[in-house]
Amino acid sequence: MFAISDEEIPVGDLRKGLTDSGAGGLCVFEGWVRNENDGRAVNRLEYEVYEPLAIQEGTKVLEEAKQKFPFLRASCVHRSGLLEIGDCAVWVGVVAPHREEAFKACRYIIDQIKNRLPIWKKEHYADGDSDWVNCERCANVNAQSGAGN
Amino acid sequence: MFAISDEEIPVGDLRKGLTDSGAGGLCVFEGWVRNENDGRAVNRLEYEVYEPLAIQEGTKVLEEAKQKFPFLRASCVHRSGLLEIGDCAVWVGVVAPHREEAFKACRYIIDQIKNRLPIWKKEHYADGDSDWVNCERCANVNAQSGAGN
Amino acid sequence: MKNITVRYFAMFREHAGLGEETLSLNVSTALDVFEQTRSRHGSSEPIGHCKVAVNDEMVDWSSAVNDGDTVLLFPPVAGG
Amino acid sequence: MKNITVRYFAMFREHAGLGEETLSLNVSTALDVFEQTRSRHGSSEPIGHCKVAVNDEMVDWSSAVNDGDTVLLFPPVAGG
């Protein structure tokens, strides 16, 4: 299940929704809004999402992950709209019989979500300025080592 | 923070306890009791823990992980006692500025916890039998690929 | 000439000063649409990590566009 | 002869039929304690993934044991 939400992500409910008696492990990744980026103090974030294609592409990412690293269940929810420091911007959860697949599928999903979905991030800085995060740097880093945030 | 608990692991509270305004990502792994192992139907599990050394070694594992993959905060709680199918047996959470360190530290911690701590698992099977999980197989698999459950 | 509806997202929308416009353009590919609208709005964003969709389907820059198509211009994404 | 308190865990406890006993043993290393208690309780568990601690400190099998020490015998672990 992949979804876009303009409200706080219900992390407890999402976790419960993955319950499966054959599951040996759950791997979760949450992206949180942090208070700085590239040395600039950030006050809040705004996510613009083109929902029809984000949902289509997000759903495709979950299917690819299941092909590559067979798991039992997975969910991913990405926020849209205005977020404050500490808010959860994206939640990915994967349950599998063994931890190997859970970790690998979770990592694959978040990496692809960050690189492929039509989602844009505008940072509002403490100095009053604001800017779209081009993520050229992220894209480069991702290509090399899978890093980002 | 590493702890052993004979009560249900408070996953929501543990997650909240890792809040950090510099955190860009949280990676969590939960080990759940699953309904079968090596083809045998499992009814419930019993964990025996030698607490003084489990806590000492668990704390050491968290310190090692921080050296290798610098993170902001991490917690790990392992259950002792009797667990039912679906119960959370171990919870590991790591927050870091970027997801790379969060994933790698989380994986390191759970792999080491499973291999090094004086914790033993007794499986109670549907057929009334019960057995200590020797984990010779796990140890071998771990040495090769890091799998287990 | 083809009637093309162009939709701009994020920084592209801000550069263009609008989210959508329908233009009569002499174009054959999605790339042509990108270049002509870029010069129209005086934008210099390199095509680097930009992406394009036609009628809600992600396509290559070399894909053909037809009269009546809606072309979505996506600046570099930054999810997560 | 040394007075050694031996503690057994998990399957070792079940094989021995007790969790702890104090024995007078002719031993110099942790390995000697493992072998003598194993034959005492008729156990054949290979030493493979077993571990040992002396006075709550994980040690190598070749570590010396002294009169009054407590030796903890750990069968293969299976956390998580």
Side-chain angles (χ1 to χ4, degrees):
Chain A
M1 185 276 288
F2 179 86
I4 299 293
S5 167
D6 61 0
E7 292 178 5
E8 189 179 338
I9 297 177
V11 298
D13 295 344
L14 287 170
R15 174 183 177 277
K16 276 209 187 98
L18 294 176
T19 302
D20 189 304
S21 62
L26 161 70
C27 183
V28 168
F29 179 78
E30 297 185 12
W32 292 354
V33 179
R34 66 169 185 277
N35 59 6
E36 69 93 33
N37 191 17
D38 273 336
R40 293 185 79 177
V42 173
N43 275 358
R44 53 185 204 282
L45 272 193
E46 206 179 325
Y47 280 104
E48 178 174 334
V49 179
Y50 181 59
E51 287 204 27
L53 274 187
I55 291 170
Q56 184 180 303
E57 199 73 3
T59 305
K60 208 185 291 177
V61 165
L62 292 186
E63 285 162 6
E64 289 168 11
K66 189 159 192 166
Q67 288 289 321
K68 287 175 193 283
F69 314 105
F71 55 72
L72 296 167
R73 291 164 195 258
S75 291
C76 178
V77 177
H78 199 295
R79 278 295 309 273
S80 61
L82 212 57
L83 281 80
E84 308 289 329
I85 306 301
D87 282 354
C88 179
V90 58
W91 192 94
V92 182
V94 178
V95 302
H98 299 273
R99 69 185 183 283
E100 182 75 8
E101 290 77 25
F103 267 101
K104 288 195 171 161
C106 186
R107 183 66 197 262
Y108 179 83
I109 292 166
I110 187 63
D111 286 353
Q112 298 296 317
I113 293 293
K114 282 171 177 269
N115 273 322
R116 285 165 50 179
L117 272 57
I119 296 177
W120 301 274
K121 178 156 63 176
K122 191 175 204 172
E123 291 178 336
H124 296 265
Y125 303 105
D127 60 16
D129 203 4
S130 71
D131 215 352
W132 292 99
V133 178
N134 243 1
C135 213
E136 302 266 359
R137 188 184 63 87
C138 307
N140 289 335
V141 175
N142 275 330
Q144 290 156 25
S145 70
N149 87 286
Chain B
M1 183 275 290
F2 179 86
I4 299 293
S5 168
D6 60 1
E7 292 177 5
E8 190 180 335
I9 297 178
V11 298
D13 295 346
L14 287 170
R15 174 183 175 276
K16 276 209 186 97
L18 294 175
T19 302
D20 189 304
S21 61
L26 161 69
C27 184
V28 169
F29 179 79
E30 298 185 14
W32 293 353
V33 179
R34 69 170 182 278
N35 59 7
E36 68 95 30
N37 192 16
D38 272 337
R40 291 185 80 178
V42 173
N43 275 358
R44 53 186 204 280
L45 272 191
E46 206 180 325
Y47 280 103
E48 177 173 336
V49 179
Y50 182 58
E51 286 204 27
L53 274 188
I55 291 170
Q56 185 181 303
E57 198 73 3
T59 304
K60 208 186 289 176
V61 165
L62 292 186
E63 285 161 6
E64 290 167 10
K66 190 160 192 164
Q67 289 288 322
K68 288 175 192 282
F69 314 106
F71 56 72
L72 296 166
R73 291 163 195 259
S75 290
C76 178
V77 178
H78 199 295
R79 279 294 309 273
S80 62
L82 212 56
L83 280 80
E84 308 289 329
I85 306 301
D87 282 354
C88 180
V90 58
W91 191 95
V92 183
V94 178
V95 301
H98 299 274
R99 70 184 182 284
E100 183 74 9
E101 289 77 25
F103 267 101
K104 288 195 171 161
C106 186
R107 183 66 196 261
Y108 179 83
I109 291 166
I110 186 64
D111 285 352
Q112 298 297 316
I113 293 294
K114 281 171 177 271
N115 273 321
R116 284 164 50 178
L117 272 58
I119 296 178
W120 302 274
K121 178 156 64 176
K122 190 175 204 171
E123 291 177 336
H124 295 266
Y125 303 106
D127 60 16
D129 203 6
S130 72
D131 215 350
W132 292 99
V133 179
N134 241 1
C135 213
E136 302 266 0
R137 189 185 61 87
C138 306
N140 289 335
V141 175
N142 277 330
Q144 289 157 24
S145 70
N149 89 285
Chain C
M1 301 296 272
K2 291 166 183 164
N3 281 315
I4 304 288
T5 298
V6 187
R7 291 188 62 179
Y8 304 99
F9 293 85
M11 77 178 72
F12 285 172
R13 188 186 57 249
E14 293 185 355
H15 287 167
L18 46 77
E20 182 177 324
E21 59 187 342
T22 299
L23 301 167
S24 188
L25 298 170
N26 183 12
V27 291
S28 53
T29 66
L31 180 60
D32 297 338
V33 176
F34 179 73
E35 286 177 341
Q36 290 193 28
T37 55
R38 186 167 52 170
S39 63
R40 174 182 166 84
H41 295 294
S43 164
S44 60
E45 182 67 27
I47 199 166
H49 297 284
C50 299
K51 284 174 187 146
V52 63
V54 175
N55 304 331
D56 273 357
E57 199 172 328
M58 305 291 296
V59 297
D60 293 332
W61 288 109
S62 60
S63 292
V65 292
N66 299 308
D67 188 56
D69 279 353
T70 297
V71 175
L72 314 179
L73 296 180
F74 297 149
V77 302
Chain D
M1 301 295 272
K2 293 166 184 165
N3 281 316
I4 304 288
T5 298
V6 187
R7 292 188 60 180
Y8 304 100
F9 293 85
M11 76 179 73
F12 285 173
R13 188 186 57 251
E14 294 185 355
H15 286 166
L18 45 76
E20 182 178 323
E21 58 188 342
T22 299
L23 302 166
S24 189
L25 298 170
N26 182 14
V27 291
S28 52
T29 67
L31 180 62
D32 296 338
V33 176
F34 179 72
E35 287 177 340
Q36 290 192 29
T37 56
R38 187 166 51 167
S39 63
R40 174 182 167 82
H41 295 293
S43 164
S44 61
E45 182 66 27
I47 198 165
H49 297 283
C50 299
K51 285 175 185 146
V52 63
V54 175
N55 304 331
D56 273 355
E57 199 173 328
M58 305 290 298
V59 296
D60 293 330
W61 288 107
S62 60
S63 291
V65 292
N66 299 308
D67 189 55
D69 279 352
T70 297
V71 175
L72 314 179
L73 295 179
F74 296 150
V77 302

